[in-house]
Amino acid sequence: MIDISGLGDRYQKFRVMSLCGILGLLLHDPSLNAAPEIFEGLSLLQHRGQDACGIITCGPKGRFFQCKANGMVRDIFDANSLSRLIGGMGVGHVRYPTAGSFNNAEAQPFYVNSPYGIVFAHNGNLINTDTLLQFMDQTAHRHINTASDSELLLNIFADNLQKTGKFRINEEDIFTAIGGLMQQVKGAYACVAMLAGFGIIAFRDPNGIRPVGMATRKTGTGNDYLFSSESVVADACGFTEFEDVLPGEAVIITRSGVSRRQVSTPATFAPDIFEFVYFARPDSVIDGISVYRSRMAMGDALAERVRDVLKEANISVDVVIPVPDTSRVAALNLAQKLNLPYREGFIKNRYVGRTFIMPGQQMRRKNVRRKLNAMALEFSGKNVLLVDDSIVRGTTSKEIVQMAKDVGAKKVIVASCAPPIRYPNVYGIDMPSRKELVAHDKDEAHIAEAIGADLVVFQTLPDLVNSVRQINPAIKQFDCSVFTGEYVTGGHIENLRADNLRGKMSNLELGPLEGKGGGGLVHEQTKGTEDYNEATSTNGSDDTVGLHNSFHTN
């Protein structure tokens, strides 16, 4: 295993993009606006990131229209802002950070005017950023304006397209550019791009770690096309025939048709198993696997493990209570398997964000009790089995266990649908630092002590993998690095924590990256301010450096 956590200061100042939702839409009728449906789709992907969101559309003569900022989809977009996003194709993005700032400039999608006008949205993390930055400086001479590896990935793509030297490009040129990109970058990436006046593009890393798929909707005159992180967007928007973009595959969609090609030799196909444990909506299907069915199977397998551990500990359980929301499906199956009552003991305030993806440990801890309220009726005088999808930092689990005891629970046993998380994830999960993982260097007894539980029961890794794989046996392997410390791409990043870097930024310790054209430029954009630049070229370049942002424009 390659450990790059000791890379130089330049790399450590660079930002890792993480769990995100990406979306691309092309309408057959160019006179219609794609923005309202992209907005709807991003709302359905809001669970994948609540830090920032954005939409860029492409209208007449290849002109781009943009609105993006920090905040939830419902807060950033309204009827006025959507009406300004003109054009029948567009790209959308929701994100939260693992390292970096709350800088509006880092909200996606990103844009470069040269060559041809490219818009880009990315979900995942790159692990060879230092090498890529050197290439940008010394060879490509391209300026990276933020500390986001997504902007870096966009510029790698742009540089490869630039090498064609053509006035107009075609699908063959784009496939060649993406194939070159896949030879240059390492890590996890699912990407959606848009070329001005041309079409939309999606591609996925050779390991298929992060998800993206495509779907079709028939209209009276032709087909509309959708790219999305999850199939739920296709279902809700009336698209059918959802299929995953394959590892190492690129898909190009124009109003003339669809082109697909394997542009990289597939490596070990290893989707991130945490998509099924926690990230994805239960009504999504990813890589042919129903998230809902996989969680049912996790509950069945966990029930057998719980039965054995409770018998050994000579503890009886009176009631099974899920920790809302992700664990509900598994908890219900577990209760049925053990012939125990299933009760909803925690009532959730749905207007507080998911604590797992809230930036900052202190904020996560404070928001647990705002988010959940324990009903004494279901806890008082009982031995309670709490079922959760996973235990990461233990912050939420500790508060929840204490809440149960505060309302009278005699004993609190916690059962996790996932094995102990003992290693950082480098592919898009906000938990890179080992010291923050409650299970790191601890056995189950010490984990129980750390979160205040009387007993902790974890799913075994073989049972978890089998629960997911049984639905699609064609997938031979999953990325389980958070449990095993084995990284399918090689590489290990621990020093890129958002909370730590954000603190440095606030103290002006994190400035521009060194070197000509270096990135990492830090500048805060306050609400209502605009950097007014317009892109007007079609498959060409001009002297603009950005896009007008219609966020909060009168």
Side-chain angles (χ1 to χ4, degrees):
M1 180 173 65
I2 305 169
D3 190 335
I4 60 174
S5 59
L7 285 175
D9 182 65
R10 183 165 189 230
Y11 183 87
Q12 298 306 335
K13 290 178 179 178
F14 211 76
R15 182 183 195 290
V16 179
M17 288 303 297
S18 56
L19 175 65
C20 301
I22 57 175
L23 191 153
L25 178 64
L26 185 147
L27 301 180
H28 181 75
D29 185 350
S31 67
L32 300 177
N33 287 339
E37 284 196 281
I38 297 175
F39 164 77
E40 182 180 351
L42 292 182
S43 298
L44 293 164
L45 295 176
Q46 187 76 85
H47 60 286
R48 300 187 68 87
Q50 301 173 352
D51 175 53
C53 59
I55 296 174
I56 299 180
T57 58
C58 184
K61 298 183 179 180
R63 180 178 173 182
F64 288 136
F65 300 84
Q66 168 183 262
C67 180
K68 63 179 184 176
N70 291 338
M72 306 273 281
V73 174
R74 68 187 179 214
D75 299 324
I76 302 307
F77 298 101
D78 55 21
N80 181 50
S81 61
L82 290 173
S83 70
R84 295 171 180 267
L85 297 173
I86 300 168
M89 65 177 176
V91 171
H93 187 273
V94 292
R95 74 126 214 236
Y96 91 104
T98 53
S101 71
F102 286 116
N103 192 345
N104 276 353
E106 294 187 6
Q108 294 191 45
F110 282 122
Y111 157 79
V112 290
N113 74 311
S114 178
Y116 313 119
I118 308 170
V119 168
F120 196 85
H122 162 227
N123 174 27
N125 292 344
L126 304 185
I127 64 171
N128 66 328
T129 313
D130 194 51
T131 300
L132 297 175
L133 276 172
Q134 291 178 10
F135 173 79
M136 285 288 100
D137 279 353
Q138 299 172 10
T139 305
H141 310 306
R142 298 185 71 94
H143 175 66
I144 309 300
N145 195 56
T146 71
S148 168
D149 66 344
S150 301
E151 188 193 7
L152 178 58
L153 189 59
L154 164 58
N155 277 272
I156 294 290
F157 178 47
D159 182 65
N160 287 344
L161 282 178
Q162 188 83 57
K163 292 173 183 176
T164 66
K166 290 184 176 180
F167 177 63
R168 293 286 187 267
I169 57 171
N170 55 32
E171 283 86 346
E172 189 68 31
D173 299 319
I174 297 170
F175 283 135
T176 300
I178 297 173
L181 176 149
M182 291 189 181
Q183 293 178 6
Q184 292 172 274
V185 305
K186 295 180 181 179
Y189 49 92
C191 305
V192 173
M194 176 170 61
L195 264 63
F198 188 92
I200 57 175
I201 304 159
F203 58 91
R204 194 176 181 192
D205 71 77
N207 296 107
I209 298 170
R210 300 258 72 86
V212 64
M214 61 178 290
T216 307
R217 181 176 62 194
K218 297 184 184 303
T219 69
T221 56
N223 291 332
D224 299 334
Y225 294 98
L226 172 77
F227 291 129
S228 177
S229 295
E230 296 186 29
S231 65
V232 64
V233 178
D235 297 337
C237 295
F239 287 78
T240 59
E241 301 175 7
F242 185 89
E243 56 181 318
D244 299 281
V245 175
L246 300 176
E249 183 184 33
V251 182
I252 304 170
I253 300 178
T254 68
R255 291 192 172 89
S256 301
V258 179
S259 303
R260 307 181 67 164
R261 182 175 300 179
Q262 197 76 36
V263 295
S264 173
T265 303
T268 303
F269 185 22
D272 187 350
I273 204 165
F274 229 73
E275 289 281 354
F276 304 95
V277 172
Y278 178 81
F279 289 153
R281 279 179 51 139
D283 45 350
S284 286
V285 177
I286 296 176
D287 292 316
I289 298 171
S290 163
V291 177
Y292 179 78
R293 293 291 185 189
S294 70
R295 289 176 185 171
M296 290 177 64
M298 291 176 205
D300 290 339
L302 184 58
E304 299 299 330
R305 173 72 176 152
V306 167
R307 192 197 311 273
D308 293 341
V309 173
L310 291 180
K311 183 178 180 180
E312 183 179 339
N314 195 28
I315 296 177
S316 63
V317 167
D318 300 310
V319 64
V320 175
I321 294 177
V323 177
D325 286 311
T326 320
S327 63
R328 280 197 172 105
V329 176
L332 180 57
N333 268 49
L334 179 148
Q336 292 173 341
K337 192 100 171 177
L338 296 179
N339 294 316
L340 289 171
Y342 171 92
R343 298 288 185 269
E344 293 283 349
F346 292 105
I347 303 302
K348 184 177 181 180
N349 176 3
R350 300 189 178 277
Y351 302 99
V352 176
R354 296 173 97 182
T355 58
F356 178 73
I357 62 175
M358 283 182 179
Q361 187 79 309
Q362 293 297 324
M363 188 182 298
R364 277 185 288 265
R365 184 179 297 114
K366 184 183 297 183
N367 274 279
V368 173
R369 288 181 182 259
R370 294 177 184 170
K371 178 181 176 182
L372 296 176
N373 183 53
M375 291 194 296
L377 179 67
E378 299 297 348
F379 290 93
S380 183
K382 299 177 182 179
N383 290 346
V384 179
L385 177 64
L386 299 182
V387 179
D388 207 349
D389 51 75
S390 58
I391 302 174
V392 185
R393 298 171 179 85
T395 307
T396 300
S397 299
K398 184 175 182 178
E399 290 295 327
I400 287 173
V401 169
Q402 188 58 51
M403 288 167 64
K405 292 186 174 182
D406 287 346
V407 293
K410 286 198 302 184
K411 289 184 181 295
V412 178
I413 299 95
V414 177
S416 168
C417 294
I421 297 172
R422 294 194 166 100
Y423 301 93
N425 181 288
V426 302
Y427 304 127
I429 303 176
D430 185 18
M431 52 180 182
S433 175
R434 295 191 192 192
K435 65 182 180 181
E436 290 184 316
L437 302 176
V438 69
H440 183 64
D441 284 339
K442 293 188 182 74
D443 59 18
E444 294 186 8
H446 287 96
I447 295 170
E449 181 181 354
I451 65 173
D454 296 277
L455 190 66
V456 172
V457 183
F458 287 98
Q459 184 95 271
T460 68
L461 183 57
D463 282 347
L464 174 61
V465 171
N466 183 63
S467 297
V468 182
R469 185 174 177 268
Q470 64 180 267
I471 303 169
N472 184 5
I475 299 179
K476 304 300 182 184
Q477 182 175 331
F478 292 89
D479 174 64
C480 301
S481 54
V482 295
F483 311 122
T484 65
E486 299 172 2
Y487 300 91
V488 67
T489 63
H492 182 170
I493 305 171
E494 281 203 60
N495 295 335
L496 297 178
R497 278 292 297 125
D499 306 343
N500 297 335
L501 287 185
R502 196 172 298 119
K504 290 182 179 180
M505 290 174 123
S506 65
N507 292 323
L508 302 179
E509 297 174 24
L510 183 58
L513 296 177
E514 300 88 342
K516 294 180 180 179
L521 182 63
V522 178
H523 60 279
E524 292 297 332
Q525 177 182 340
T526 58
K527 278 192 175 183
T529 58
E530 302 163 7
D531 182 11
Y532 189 89
N533 290 291
E534 296 180 354
T536 57
S537 61
T538 303
N539 266 7
S541 63
D542 58 24
D543 59 357
T544 61
V545 294
L547 292 177
H548 168 56
N549 191 352
S550 62
F551 177 58
H552 280 189
T553 299
N554 295 323

